[in-house]
Amino acid sequence: DTGSIMASSNLSDEELMHKLQSGDSSALFELYERHSDKIWSYLKKRVPRAQLEDLFQDCFVKIVEKKDNWQNQPFVLWLY
């Protein structure tokens, strides 16, 4: 449902994490849209090219796997 994805764009990262914790997968899409370029750049400077794509994907898998460990801290600090 693209309507809910578009509506979430005004939410903070932390509000999106609350939605993700509640099972709203559109929140992950929005977090990906916001942070994928920055994460790619961060990893590209620090990781051998052969591992880059796998680690990049792992970041978003870990967001989902560890979403219940997030406890209202700033999302970007928790992510990195």
Side-chain angles (χ1 to χ4, degrees), residues 5-67:
I5 292 171
M6 298 305 266
S8 69
S9 64
N10 293 327
L11 299 176
S12 70
D13 291 342
E14 293 74 25
E15 290 169 318
L16 289 169
M17 279 302 292
H18 284 293
K19 289 176 66 99
L20 184 61
Q21 286 177 326
S22 297
D24 185 344
S25 60
S26 69
L28 179 63
F29 176 80
E30 182 65 29
L31 289 167
Y32 177 87
E33 287 292 308
R34 287 184 187 180
H35 297 284
S36 61
D37 288 345
K38 290 176 249 175
I39 292 170
W40 184 263
S41 284
Y42 179 85
L43 291 174
K44 191 174 178 181
K45 294 173 189 170
R46 292 164 177 81
V47 174
R49 183 83 180 151
Q51 299 171 334
L52 185 55
E53 288 186 28
D54 286 341
L55 284 174
F56 177 74
Q57 291 176 12
D58 286 349
C59 286
F60 292 95
V61 170
K62 291 291 184 191
I63 290 171
V64 174
E65 289 177 350
K66 304 289 185 181
K67 69 183 185 301

